[in-house]
Amino acid sequence: MSGELESLEHILQTYIPAQELKEVWRILYGRECRSLDLPEDAVQAAISGSFELKGYYLIEAAPEQLRRQNIVRVGLIQNKIQAHTSLPVLEQIHALHKRIADMVEAAAICGVNIVCFQEAWTMPFAFCTREKLPWTEFAESAENGITTRFCQELAKRYNMVIISPILERDEAHGDVLWNTAVVIANSGAVLGKSRKNHIPRVGDFNESTYYMEGNTGHKVFQTAFGKIAVNICYGRHHPLNWFMYSMNGAEIIFNPSATIGGLSECLWPIEARNAAIANHCFTCAINRVGTEHFETEFTSGDGKKAHNDLGHFYGSSYVSAPDGSRTPGLSRVSDGLLVTELDLNLCRQTSDKWNFKMTGRYEMYAEELTRATRPDFQPDVVRE
Amino acid sequence: MSGELESLEHILQTYIPAQELKEVWRILYGRECRSLDLPEDAVQAAISGSFELKGYYLIEAAPEQLRRQNIVRVGLIQNKIQAHTSLPVLEQIHALHKRIADMVEAAAICGVNIVCFQEAWTMPFAFCTREKLPWTEFAESAENGITTRFCQELAKRYNMVIISPILERDEAHGDVLWNTAVVIANSGAVLGKSRKNHIPRVGDFNESTYYMEGNTGHKVFQTAFGKIAVNICYGRHHPLNWFMYSMNGAEIIFNPSATIGGLSECLWPIEARNAAIANHCFTCAINRVGTEHFETEFTSGDGKKAHNDLGHFYGSSYVSAPDGSRTPGLSRVSDGLLVTELDLNLCRQTSDKWNFKMTGRYEMYAEELTRATRPDFQPDVVRE
């Protein structure tokens, strides 16, 4: 999208002298994260595929005596839709499959162990339109839909765990739709699924018109490369959502999202990063990128005229570490693959240092929260 | 402290051209906050008192039909200790009283309605030493100690609500010490007190040696200028702590703190701001500033030699709005007063827009949290 800034980091690096930049970086981004040397084949694939490729070591954990290093490479993929929203459904899906296949191949060359795609990655984010057809036709079975089978192939081929957030059609429960992340093991088996727990009612995010709050709780998936969980999009605004994934043992929580500049851009660097800090875990925030145009116009409940797009998805996907350090973000305007090397030992090391779970007083909060949900709850207010 | 950066914002403003700076600011700090015109008398007081004075309109709320604007000016004060830590206790306290009296007078000239001081503001942050005397002598009654009486005078004189975080001695309960914020109404009456709910065990913050987790819950104080709460220091790492103050109706949550660069600086801009976003309220983060030297050396459990200071308190106090916007921070190195004008109507407006309380599913979390606190809790982990 013309006129859109490439990235915040690009501006900082262009104008601020090296010595000051170091301090700015420390305050904004925490401990320095070194660049990964990425294989030349991957760099070439990114150039010929016109997507950004970045790689970082997020930060090192201290060596321990009783545990080995626990190194994992995660890949975050952000991408535009590949075919116009007016083209046949299957054509749109296949174009996205093709794009993702290319980017996952590059991830594999970079040694990625776990890859996560953006929210509802097989379709445009059409919920702004409030029209049902053809958009509900993008919904498919989490267990054996064409997208899951496509991901199983990739997972097996590359020995990679794949998180595939789709619009799910649940035929076994009366054709209900869900916003669901399918987790596929590196063996190619479907390990399970995690449904979006919190559904927005904000701006053009009319998702509550299409699907309801998830019923899969806060499952954590034990993969060959660590314990992971998926907090989909709007769930990142809910600290308790992150927290319960963490209490169930998640070392990495992925946050596949779709959000736009006018609404949330100044929240984006804050929420997933705060969750990494508060829960002593890694978090991976992934946003789609670009502007999607629809043939039928729609209004936005903001007093303005009908229009044909939701606004600019600003990308800026990034990874945060438990100590609050983070990687730079991917581009605000281009497709991209962010490869980040983590040492999962840092989760427990940070927990032992900061002790948030130990000092959390959860019995008190369980009681207070229970009380607060009752219809006769009286806030504790002191008056003169 | 020589070699310390003045502030992040100073660097950005020095090097980044105006047009790019606007975008950088939007992404980093949200909606633009305009500078307040501060009275010349206050500017002069700041110059002669050698403290920084900054003022902002944080952001405007939309006009409503049934509620008037709800404008409040808050003042955040960060300051160095004023007398060497080896001087007599009363001399140290009086020097701090004198300093704060001057800064509160400037706040009054600026029309501040609610002022908050830094954590344990009447003393050096001596808990790093693990010595009891003379530090426990700084503890005083929350209801009628010399500091509370001092603050009552100021509150009456300036028609100002004062939040005074002190080390409390609770004679009525066996001489127990607490880390307590005393809330004094603009009438001069003690409205109540709020004790620190979470006590750190990290680095040199040996506070658990001196006092225990607070027992005053999550009280909100209805003042003449809005409903306020106080989340002291380490409590900012606990999202549930912020949350319960918000559930009790807080429109502004103050976070008086004492924290150092090596430990937490990249967390500082994230946590209080995330709390403002997640809870649809304003948050005010206040950190002390400067380096405090102690005569007796102490070790830090970090394998290093004994030393005589805790490190550099980096100031950087700031205010965040419910929509994620924030003010620039105060200096990293100087005493300062930050005056910010808020419209409290923005809290409910943001809640109606984003609906985090409505979409929060608190019954589910009350149940899950209750289960998670039981000794026989089994994390929900899916294995292949």
Side-chain angles (χ1 to χ4, degrees):
Chain A
M1 184 171 166
S2 68
E4 289 286 347
L5 192 75
E6 162 62 31
S7 78
L8 172 69
E9 294 84 354
H10 181 73
I11 298 281
L12 301 180
Q13 285 168 331
T14 302
Y15 294 109
I16 301 177
Q19 200 176 341
E20 281 96 338
L21 185 62
K22 217 172 153 168
E23 274 293 274
V24 165
W25 215 263
R26 179 182 71 77
I27 294 173
L28 283 180
Y29 286 169
R31 281 210 268 168
E32 197 184 344
C33 53
R34 291 179 296 122
S35 286
L36 272 176
D37 272 334
L38 296 172
E40 188 52 31
D41 284 0
V43 173
Q44 283 308 321
I47 291 168
S48 65
S50 292
F51 60 87
E52 187 185 24
L53 173 62
K54 281 187 173 174
Y56 301 97
Y57 296 98
L58 190 38
I59 68 170
E60 285 84 23
E64 300 182 21
Q65 295 189 27
L66 303 185
R67 296 194 303 181
R68 286 178 309 180
Q69 275 196 310
N70 196 347
I71 302 294
V72 181
R73 286 199 180 183
V74 294
L76 280 51
I77 291 180
Q78 66 179 37
N79 61 280
K80 296 176 188 160
I81 53 171
Q82 300 291 307
H84 194 272
T85 58
S86 59
L87 289 171
V89 167
L90 270 181
E91 204 169 311
Q92 293 186 55
I93 294 176
H94 285 141
L96 280 160
H97 282 195
K98 170 76 180 66
R99 180 62 166 167
I100 288 297
D102 291 346
M103 296 178 80
V104 169
E105 186 180 2
I109 298 170
C110 295
V112 163
N113 305 114
I114 307 173
V115 72
C116 183
F117 312 143
Q118 66 202 19
E119 182 184 22
W121 74 270
T122 62
M123 60 184 293
F125 215 70
F127 312 116
C128 50
T129 64
R130 300 204 324 284
E131 314 220 10
K132 293 290 168 112
L133 285 174
W135 314 119
T136 54
E137 292 199 77
F138 283 85
E140 47 175 296
S141 158
E143 286 70 25
N144 54 27
I146 52 169
T147 296
T148 294
R149 281 179 283 138
F150 164 79
C151 292
Q152 289 181 289
E153 275 305 309
L154 293 179
K156 257 192 299 200
R157 185 181 316 152
Y158 299 126
N159 189 35
M160 199 184 289
V161 171
I162 293 182
I163 300 168
S164 169
I166 60 167
L167 186 61
E168 179 193 2
R169 180 175 292 281
D170 185 7
E171 285 192 14
H173 293 89
D175 254 331
V176 163
L177 302 191
W178 302 99
N179 184 317
T180 302
V182 184
V183 179
I184 295 149
N186 58 320
S187 66
V190 174
L191 192 48
K193 61 188 174 188
S194 190
R195 289 172 174 154
K196 185 169 179 171
N197 276 326
H198 301 269
I199 310 297
R201 281 96 170 140
V202 53
D204 276 333
F205 291 80
N206 303 307
E207 296 165 60
S208 63
T209 301
Y210 295 85
Y211 41 80
M212 300 294 286
E213 280 72 13
N215 61 355
T216 49
H218 295 89
K219 289 189 189 314
V220 163
F221 301 91
Q222 172 74 66
T223 74
F225 310 111
K227 286 194 273 189
I228 66 174
V230 195
N231 173 351
I232 303 176
C233 197
Y234 184 79
R236 79 179 168 280
H237 306 301
H238 291 277
L240 276 160
N241 201 31
W242 297 101
F243 170 77
M244 277 312 308
Y245 290 117
S246 168
M247 279 304 274
N248 282 323
E251 294 163 307
I252 313 171
I253 306 176
F254 292 88
N255 175 233
S257 296
T259 185
I260 54 171
L263 187 68
S264 66
E265 193 158 359
C266 82
L267 280 54
W268 181 251
I270 304 297
E271 294 166 304
R273 193 163 164 215
N274 190 74
I277 296 166
N279 298 296
H280 305 313
C281 66
F282 291 93
T283 60
C284 300
I286 302 156
N287 187 20
R288 64 172 63 203
V289 69
T291 304
E292 302 173 353
H293 297 274
F294 298 95
E295 283 210 322
T296 315
E297 65 179 9
F298 57 91
T299 56
S300 297
D302 59 358
K304 293 186 186 147
K305 282 203 181 304
H307 50 107
N308 298 77
D309 73 82
L310 175 58
H312 176 65
F313 295 103
Y314 53 81
S316 307
S317 305
Y318 70 100
V319 181
S320 288
D323 79 334
S325 304
R326 58 158 285 184
T327 67
L330 285 178
S331 164
R332 295 182 69 260
V333 292
S334 323
D335 290 11
L337 164 63
L338 175 64
V339 179
T340 310
E341 182 166 310
L342 321 173
D343 184 341
L344 300 184
N345 283 358
L346 193 66
C347 300
R348 200 177 80 179
Q349 286 181 16
T350 309
S351 179
D352 286 354
K353 175 178 178 185
W354 278 102
N355 305 305
F356 297 155
K357 294 280 194 325
M358 193 160 81
T359 58
R361 306 187 71 183
Y362 300 125
E363 291 86 351
M364 174 176 77
Y365 289 107
E367 266 180 50
E368 289 194 54
L369 192 53
T370 303
R371 241 184 296 137
T373 58
R374 293 200 187 115
D376 64 351
F377 169 62
Q378 289 297 331
D380 186 2
V381 180
V382 180
R383 293 182 172 82
E384 199 171 351
Chain B
M1 185 169 168
S2 67
E4 288 287 347
L5 192 74
E6 163 63 30
S7 77
L8 172 68
E9 293 85 354
H10 181 73
I11 298 280
L12 300 181
Q13 285 168 330
T14 302
Y15 294 109
I16 300 177
Q19 199 176 343
E20 281 95 337
L21 185 62
K22 217 172 153 166
E23 275 292 274
V24 166
W25 215 262
R26 179 182 71 77
I27 295 172
L28 282 180
Y29 286 170
R31 281 209 268 167
E32 197 184 344
C33 52
R34 291 180 295 123
S35 286
L36 270 177
D37 272 335
L38 296 172
E40 188 51 32
D41 284 1
V43 174
Q44 284 308 322
I47 292 168
S48 66
S50 291
F51 59 88
E52 188 187 24
L53 173 63
K54 281 188 175 174
Y56 301 98
Y57 296 98
L58 188 37
I59 68 168
E60 286 83 21
E64 299 182 20
Q65 294 189 28
L66 303 186
R67 297 194 304 180
R68 285 179 308 181
Q69 277 196 309
N70 197 347
I71 302 294
V72 181
R73 285 198 182 186
V74 296
L76 279 53
I77 291 179
Q78 66 178 37
N79 61 280
K80 297 176 187 159
I81 53 171
Q82 300 290 308
H84 194 272
T85 58
S86 58
L87 288 171
V89 166
L90 270 181
E91 203 169 313
Q92 292 185 56
I93 294 176
H94 284 142
L96 278 161
H97 282 194
K98 171 77 179 65
R99 180 62 166 166
I100 287 296
D102 291 345
M103 295 178 82
V104 169
E105 187 181 1
I109 298 171
C110 295
V112 163
N113 305 114
I114 307 172
V115 72
C116 183
F117 312 143
Q118 66 203 20
E119 182 184 22
W121 74 271
T122 63
M123 60 185 293
F125 215 70
F127 313 116
C128 52
T129 65
R130 302 204 322 284
E131 313 220 11
K132 293 291 169 115
L133 283 174
W135 314 118
T136 55
E137 291 199 77
F138 283 85
E140 47 175 296
S141 158
E143 285 72 23
N144 53 26
I146 53 168
T147 296
T148 294
R149 282 179 283 137
F150 164 79
C151 292
Q152 290 181 288
E153 275 304 309
L154 294 179
K156 255 190 301 199
R157 186 181 316 152
Y158 300 125
N159 187 36
M160 201 185 288
V161 171
I162 293 182
I163 301 169
S164 168
I166 60 168
L167 186 61
E168 178 193 3
R169 179 173 293 280
D170 185 7
E171 285 192 14
H173 293 89
D175 254 331
V176 162
L177 301 191
W178 302 99
N179 184 317
T180 301
V182 184
V183 179
I184 295 150
N186 58 320
S187 67
V190 174
L191 192 48
K193 61 188 175 188
S194 190
R195 289 170 174 155
K196 184 169 179 170
N197 276 325
H198 301 269
I199 310 296
R201 282 95 170 141
V202 54
D204 276 333
F205 291 80
N206 304 305
E207 298 165 58
S208 63
T209 302
Y210 295 84
Y211 40 80
M212 300 293 285
E213 281 71 13
N215 59 356
T216 49
H218 295 88
K219 288 189 190 314
V220 165
F221 301 91
Q222 172 74 67
T223 74
F225 311 110
K227 287 193 273 188
I228 65 174
V230 195
N231 173 350
I232 303 176
C233 197
Y234 183 79
R236 80 178 167 282
H237 306 301
H238 291 277
L240 277 160
N241 201 31
W242 297 101
F243 171 76
M244 276 312 308
Y245 290 118
S246 168
M247 279 303 275
N248 282 324
E251 294 164 306
I252 312 169
I253 307 176
F254 292 88
N255 174 234
S257 298
T259 185
I260 54 170
L263 188 66
S264 67
E265 193 159 0
C266 82
L267 281 51
W268 181 252
I270 304 297
E271 295 167 303
R273 193 162 163 214
N274 190 74
I277 296 166
N279 299 295
H280 306 313
C281 66
F282 291 93
T283 60
C284 300
I286 302 156
N287 187 19
R288 64 171 63 203
V289 69
T291 304
E292 303 172 353
H293 297 273
F294 298 95
E295 284 211 321
T296 316
E297 65 179 10
F298 57 91
T299 55
S300 298
D302 59 359
K304 294 187 185 147
K305 282 205 180 304
H307 49 107
N308 296 77
D309 71 83
L310 175 56
H312 176 65
F313 295 103
Y314 53 80
S316 308
S317 304
Y318 70 99
V319 181
S320 287
D323 78 335
S325 303
R326 57 158 286 184
T327 68
L330 285 178
S331 164
R332 296 182 68 260
V333 292
S334 323
D335 290 12
L337 165 63
L338 175 63
V339 179
T340 309
E341 183 166 309
L342 321 173
D343 184 342
L344 300 184
N345 283 357
L346 193 66
C347 300
R348 200 177 78 178
Q349 286 181 17
T350 310
S351 178
D352 286 353
K353 176 180 178 184
W354 278 101
N355 305 306
F356 297 156
K357 295 281 194 327
M358 193 159 79
T359 58
R361 306 187 72 183
Y362 300 124
E363 292 85 350
M364 174 177 76
Y365 289 107
E367 267 180 48
E368 289 194 53
L369 192 54
T370 302
R371 242 184 295 139
T373 58
R374 294 202 187 114
D376 63 352
F377 169 63
Q378 289 296 331
D380 186 3
V381 180
V382 180
R383 293 183 171 82
E384 199 171 352

